[in-house]
């Protein structure tokens, strides 16, 4: 079955079996390995990507369902060689250790800030509650998202790239 | 990673189209909503439909609106939209309370109220809410549209009255001026299914419970509700004693089974405890507290 | 609160990083943040095939026959391997890390639910899984040993009838301490408290499951194995021994690893099967577990049924402790620990207290459950030890009606007692326990918390305060006492400084997220003055790193960290000889300052390490006996373990109506000696504290009467989320290890070891007004409510 999606701004068309999970489509067909998977039951959030700017768990989403939609993955966070504030925040605040949950965490964190630029600690904790991390105990992930909230991309920079 | 077995797929563009596809594809075709129950079951190979009819891109199944004296929620309305709905929150805060403890924010971006109803998981929070509110399922099939009270919609765990070629299109809830509502849930961990839950609405007039609905999920309450507890409460003074007596009936009349969430005695106790807590808060809200 | 202070006065590099110890961003982050990590499942080799394992639905069943014909006929399937195939190759069984054997694929019968029965190799992971459904296995179910307490019953079915002459499910009895002295102390005691304490079966559940890609080059005979291993060198040797493959032709590569926590120490059948699959097909074969396979078949942790007794005077001076353990090892004894210690380091259970007598007996049994036992950041069973002593001390406090902090302070070892030999034979290196405990109590506001608790109790609210004081022994060897399958626990380290003064350091240990690429660069920077950004850490590839036993038991910093410091010092010594030649003076005339040798009394005359590096590779005539180039290698054999310790205080609120527990605060004061990168150390502690909350409140693998695993997915095996974890409050004290070159003690598992007892003690403290003295983990709402009712549930078997 043919699927056309826009991935990180680029349109791609591939022939896939209808049963292909979106996470496998991204990893095995598009060869973008930044999106991980950690469970099979949509509990861990390691596979989180955006479909039309909403975070979804790509292990519980068929690639064919994304036909005609836009997908954003961790590889799409960096713009023009500049890391997104969420990426910088994770680095500044030691928000990652093994790095496995990190892409999903950053996709959720970025989406949260896009909706709510100044979340409280409680809102951040609620926001990432569908993403499991085994390394950090979450404290530094919360701090990383707070850091990103405090260091948004400046309007000036956005205009330059626009 | 687990993978589903081969399956055909068709995207429906309207309810009529969905019904037509289900007719064409036969008995082994299944509609797919948010897919957060169906896809994991397919990955475990516990479910192996031959075809999926995708309802996600049907605009008419989306959204919350008021029609006359009812709130109508499209079957494909996502949990997140229910959580954020001002209409639902104005009339029934129970929705927001329940949604806050359903799964997690990312799953709520995808899971739908209709999918939850049709999955008929015995622990489904919104099924307890729907039963408590005595809502109605609006069902469309090849022969037209029919309405079924939510208290008759489920035929048991994971079973509904839907025919294979029918689609649940909406859920309707009567608006009850002056009603207070509340949802209580105990889970082992945030995002887990409930060990026991209680969702209630209460209308208190002149210090007396004029009307109420009591729903319980995860404890084997038939149709997710406790009519015995409702009977025990309606007409009684809105007091702690009345609430406790009704809650006790809910605990006695549910039919929980022991599992890793807890033993039977605990689940009965919890049903009583949570029903009591929900009744207190709903009654207080009804009385403007 | 006591802030964690940065290391003062370390010079900064041009990139702004400390040339030595201190906070700096991790070097490895740049790739992870961009989604450019390289995990095993990210590998995609030309022609690569995919393997999938068929697993047993039964916990105990005889296999009558396996029909693979339909699976083999499925288009895209390349091969189906069964135990019979392997038996022909002599590979149906493999040794475990505890000198037992384990079936790679079952031949005679299956012994736990989830055991490996057949292996399919196909063109895609989807087809491989389709084929699993087409394999027809005819089983005869057998009676199941699901309850460790019944494993030695006369009528218990014998699980390991593959072992000749085996007539029961007994594995070993092991003891430590002085039994007679301990009994005498108990006989003379005013107070004796005994409690049955279970540390239930849990699982490390790293976010990345286990897997491998094997490529046996049919032409060269070289096997390259990319695999999720915490110990690449040890794995290489074991593959050589098991499969008879020449060790020089085995390259084990452990790329980025998505968390280990002990789960990735053993060798699993799947790894072996990917190798066999590659040999059979001549192509690279990838095998990755799904989550259920990970939870149901790979190394679990704990499963210790402990009866603990503590004896004291009536005013709370501890006299003796004894523990009887029934250890559930599952169907194969697959624990990973030093040969001499079948119960790991459990006999460190005497804890942080001063008393003369202790004794333990450990009886291990087979059950129809997955193998494992030593995993999940356990420091070789110190988790169980720390939990049992800290729980029984709280039980004693309850019996004596004494504040648990006061009881601990009364019995803690004193600084002047170090080095201290425990009643079971460990030699603790250094400590100032009371200081650490006082810091924790001050951070917590302990007295105020007790006041608040009293006020709340008066109004019918139940808050609890739990304390845990733990001592760990980490950093195994020395090699003469500690080996795994005959491989001594010593670590090699190579350091090369290139002509331009940039360096590469090669380690035998392998990071699974601990930040080795940064920490070890900082150790070398500290010793040589080369900026950490100029030092590349190379690890996880047996062809490119020296031999060593790997990363587990918190041993990386204590062992390989020492090796890195010593190899850098060796390079520094060589640099001195070269500098002396360049400066035309005697080596003894030179003095070292960070990054530079200079002439005593004339600091302007000197050579930087970078200049010396060029000299070492250049035309400079070197003194006799000094070879060119600036490099060195060492093998570090630790003289003793290091003994990090800490005091943790947890505050919880319990809703007695529902049994729900809310962890309100958690204060953790760790003493792991000097902190190389405090940020990384804190991160390690945070993660371990979350483990403690998880194990204390929700993580569990229980079994029903049929031996069904009741924790086989993340819907059932619950891990803590951001909602259950409080905002951790950390503090520190610094007591260096006297025998470690930089005094560092290792911290990777401290918090996992120390935190469960603090959480459980807090919950029991909260509900003590109901007469509760103990309830087993996990303290789920149901279990807490039942404990309040006086009938706590037995957590290792299905709730009924």
């Amino acid at each position: 079955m043919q699927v056309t999606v826009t991935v990180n701004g680029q349109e791609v068309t591939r022939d896939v079996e209808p049963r292909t999970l979106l996470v496998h489509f991204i990893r095995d067909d598009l060869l973008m390995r930044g999106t991980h998977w950690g469970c099979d039951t949509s509990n861990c959030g390691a596979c989180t990507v955006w479909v039309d700017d909403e975070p979804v768990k790509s292990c519980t989403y068929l690639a064919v369902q994304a036909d005609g939609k836009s997908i954003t993955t961790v590889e799409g966070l960096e713009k023009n060689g500049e890391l997104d504030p969420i990426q910088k925040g994770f680095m500044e605040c030691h928000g990652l250790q093994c790095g496995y949950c990190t892409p999903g965490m950053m996709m959720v964190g970025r989406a949260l800030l896009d909706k709510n630029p100044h979340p409280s600690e409680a809102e951040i904790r609620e926001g990432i509650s569908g993403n499991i991390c085994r390394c950090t105990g979450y404290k530094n992930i919360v701090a990383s998202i707070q850091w990103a909230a405090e260091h948004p991309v400046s309007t000036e920079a956005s205009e330059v790239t626009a | 990673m687990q993978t589903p077995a081969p399956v055909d797929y068709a995207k429906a563009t309207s309810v009529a189209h969905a019904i037509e596809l289900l007719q064409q594809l036969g008995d082994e075709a299944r509609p797919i909503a948010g897919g957060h129950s169906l896809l994991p079951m397919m990955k475990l190979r516990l479910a192996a439909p031959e075809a999926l009819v995708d309802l996600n891109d049907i605009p008419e199944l989306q959204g919350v609106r008021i029609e006359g004296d009812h709130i109508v929620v499209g079957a494909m309305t996502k949990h997140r939209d229910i959580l954020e709905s001002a209409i639902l929150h104005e009339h029934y805060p129970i929705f927001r309370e329940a949604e806050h403890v359903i799964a997690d924010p990312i799953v709520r971006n995808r899971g739908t109220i209709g999918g939850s109803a049709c999955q008929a998981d015995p622990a489904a929070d919104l099924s307890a809410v729907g039963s408590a509110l005595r809502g109605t399922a609006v069902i469309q099939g090849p022969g037209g549209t029919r309405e079924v009270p939510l208290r008759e919609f489920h035929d048991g765990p994971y079973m509904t009255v839907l025919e294979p070629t029918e689609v649940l299109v909406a859920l309707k809830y009567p608006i009850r001026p002056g009603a207070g509502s509340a949802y209580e849930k105990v889970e082992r961990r945030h995002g887990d299914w409930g060990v026991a839950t209680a969702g209630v609405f209460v209308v208190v007039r002149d210090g007396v419970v004029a009307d109420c609905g009591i729903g319980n999920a995860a404890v084997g309450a038939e149709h997710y509700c406790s009519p015995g507890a409702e009977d025990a409460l309606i007409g009684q003074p809105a007091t702690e004693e009345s609430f406790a007596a009704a809650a006790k009936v809910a605990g006695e009349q549910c039919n929980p089974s022991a599992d890793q969430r807890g033993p039977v005695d605990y689940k009965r106790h919890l049903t009583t405890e949570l029903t009591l807590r929900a009744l207190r808060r709903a009654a207080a809200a009804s009385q403007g507290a | 609160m006591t802030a964690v202070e940065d290391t003062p006065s370390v010079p900064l590099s041009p990139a702004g990083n400390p040339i030595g110890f201190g906070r700096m961003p991790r070097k490895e982050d740049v790739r992870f943040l961009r989604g450019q990590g390289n995990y095993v499942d990210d590998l995609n080799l030309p022609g690569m095939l995919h393997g999938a394992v068929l697993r047993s639905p039964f916990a105990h069943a005889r296999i009558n026959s396996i029909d693979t014909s339909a699976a083999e006929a499925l288009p895209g399937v390349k091969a189906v391997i069964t135990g019979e195939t392997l038996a022909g190759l002599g590979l149906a069984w493999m040794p475990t890390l505890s000198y037992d054997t384990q079936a790679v694929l079952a031949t005679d019968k299956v012994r736990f639910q989830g055991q490996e029965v057949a292996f399919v190799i196909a063109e895609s992971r989807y087809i491989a899984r389709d084929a699993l459904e087409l394999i027809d296995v005819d089983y005869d179910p057998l009676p199941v040993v699901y309850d460790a307490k019944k494993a030695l019953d006369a009528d218990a079915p014998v699980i390991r009838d593959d072992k000749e002459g085996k007539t029961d499910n007994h594995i070993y009895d092991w003891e430590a301490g002085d039994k007679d002295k301990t009994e005498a102390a108990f006989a003379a005691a005013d107070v004796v408290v005994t409690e049955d304490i279970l540390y239930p079966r849990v699982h490390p559940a790293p976010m990345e499951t286990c897997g491998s890609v094997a490529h046996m080059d049919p032409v060269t005979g070289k096997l390259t194995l990319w695999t999720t291993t915490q110990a690449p060198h040890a794995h290489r040797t074991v593959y050589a021994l098991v499969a008879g493959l020449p060790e020089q032709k085995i390259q084990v590569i452990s790329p980025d690893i998505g968390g280990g926590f002990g789960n990735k120490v053993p060798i699993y059948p799947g790894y072996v099967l990917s190798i066999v699959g590659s040999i059979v097909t001549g192509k690279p074969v990838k095998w990755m577990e799904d989550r259920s396979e990970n939870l149901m078949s790979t190394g679990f942790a704990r499963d210790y049924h402990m009866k603990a007794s503590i004896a004291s005077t009536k005013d709370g001076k501890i006299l003796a402790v004894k523990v009887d353990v029934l250890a559930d090892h599952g169907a194969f004894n697959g624990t990973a620990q030093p040969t001499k210690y079948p119960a790991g380091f459990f006999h460190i259970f005497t804890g942080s207290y001063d008393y003369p007598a202790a004794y333990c007996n450990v009886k291990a049994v087979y059950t129809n459950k997955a193998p494992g036992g030593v995993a999940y950041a356990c420091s070789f069973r110190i988790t169980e030890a720390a939990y049992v002593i800290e729980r029984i001390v709280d039980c004693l406090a309850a019996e004596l009606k004494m504040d648990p902090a006061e009881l601990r302070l009364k019995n803690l070892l004193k600084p002047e007692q170090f080095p201290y030999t425990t009643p079971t034979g460990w030699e603790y290196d250094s400590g100032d326990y009371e200081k650490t405990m006082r810091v924790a109590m001050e951070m917590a506001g302990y007295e105020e918390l007790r006041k608040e608790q009293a006020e709340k109790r008066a109004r019918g609210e139940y808050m609890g305060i739990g304390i845990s004081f733990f001592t760990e022994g980490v950093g195994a060897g020395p090699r003469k006492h500690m080996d795994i399958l005959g491989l001594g626990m010593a670590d090699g380290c190579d350091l090369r400084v290139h002509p331009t003064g940039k360096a590469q350091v090669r380690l035998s240990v392998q990071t699974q997220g601990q930040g080795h690429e940064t920490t070890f660069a900082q150790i070398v920077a500290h010793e040589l003055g080369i900026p950490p950004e100029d030092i590349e850490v190379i690890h996880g590839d047996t062809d490119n790193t020296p031999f060593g036993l790997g990363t587990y038991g918190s041993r990386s910093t204590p062992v390989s960290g020492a090796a890195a410091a010593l190899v850098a010092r060796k390079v520094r010594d060589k640099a001195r000889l070269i500098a002396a030649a360049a400066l035309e003076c005697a080596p003894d005339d030179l003095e070292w300052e960070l990054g530079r040798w200079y002439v005593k009394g004339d600091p302007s005359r000197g050579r930087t390490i970078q200049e010396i590096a060029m000299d070492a590779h250049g035309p400079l005539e070197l003194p006799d006996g000094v070879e060119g180039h600036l490099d060195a290698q060492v093998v570090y054999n630790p003289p003793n373990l290091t003994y990090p310790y800490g005091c943790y205080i947890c505050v919880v609120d319990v809703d007695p109506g529902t049994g729900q527990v809310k962890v309100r605060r958690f204060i953790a004061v760790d003493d792991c000696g000097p902190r190389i990168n405090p940020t990384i150390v804190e991160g390690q502690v945070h993660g371990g504290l979350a483990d403690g909350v998880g194990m204390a409140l929700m993580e569990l693998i229980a079994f029903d009467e049929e031996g069904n695993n009741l924790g086989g997915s993340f819907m059932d095996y619950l891990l803590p989320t951001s909602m259950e974890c409080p905002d951790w409050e950390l503090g520190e004290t610094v007591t260096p290890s006297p025998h470690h070159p930089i005094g560092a003690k290792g911290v990777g598992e401290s918090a996992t070891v120390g935190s469960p007892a603090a959480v459980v003690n807090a919950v029991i403290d909260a509900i003590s007004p109901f007469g509760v003295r103990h309830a087993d983990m996990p303290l789920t709402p149901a279990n807490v409510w039942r404990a309040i009712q006086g009938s706590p549930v037995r957590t290792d078997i299905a709730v009924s």
Side-chain angles (χ1 to χ4, degrees), chain A residues 1 17-21 23-24 37 39-43 45 48-49 54-62 64-69 104 108 115 126-132, chain B residues 1-11 32-37 39-40 42-45 52 54 56-57 80 83-84 100 103-110 189-191:
Chain A
M1 203 166 188
E17 278 191 276
R19 62 165 162 167
T20 307
L21 299 170
V23 65
H24 287 141
W37 62 269
C39 69
D40 299 284
T41 46
S42 68
N43 292 95
T48 304
V49 301
E54 283 294 349
V56 300
K57 295 186 177 180
S58 63
C59 76
T60 310
Y61 200 113
L62 298 172
V64 288
Q65 294 185 288
D67 185 40
K69 300 184 194 299
V108 173
K115 260 183 115 164
E126 158 79 13
I128 62 171
S129 63
N131 295 66
I132 291 173
Chain B
M1 203 181 149
Q2 295 163 5
T3 59
V7 66
D8 284 334
Y9 171 88
K11 192 174 281 197
I32 181 167
H36 276 63
S37 297
L39 283 173
M42 288 170 64
K43 286 196 272 180
L44 281 164
R45 313 249 169 158
L52 295 173
D54 192 346
N56 277 282
D57 292 330
R80 184 204 56 211
L83 190 152
E84 292 174 357
H100 262 300
D104 63 63
I106 315 175
V107 170
R108 293 198 295 259
N109 279 344
R110 193 71 187 144
R189 188 206 63 192
H190 188 79

Side-chain angles (χ1 to χ4, degrees), chain B residues 48-116:
Chain B
E50 284 174 9
L52 295 173
V53 174
D54 192 346
L55 307 180
N56 277 282
D57 292 330
I58 302 176
E60 66 202 82
L61 294 181
Q62 303 283 344
V64 179
R65 58 193 181 273
I66 290 181
E67 285 181 9
D69 52 3
H70 280 75
I71 303 171
V72 178
V73 180
M76 287 298 293
T77 306
K78 293 181 178 17
H79 287 298
R80 184 204 56 211
D81 295 323
I82 292 168
L83 190 152
E84 292 174 357
S85 164
I87 294 174
L88 284 171
H89 189 60
E90 180 193 341
H91 295 280
Y92 289 120
I94 187 174
F95 278 99
R96 188 166 294 177
E97 292 185 10
E99 285 292 356
H100 262 300
V101 290
I102 292 175
D104 63 63
I106 315 175
V107 170
R108 293 198 295 259
N109 279 344
R110 193 71 187 144
T112 65
I113 187 168
S116 166

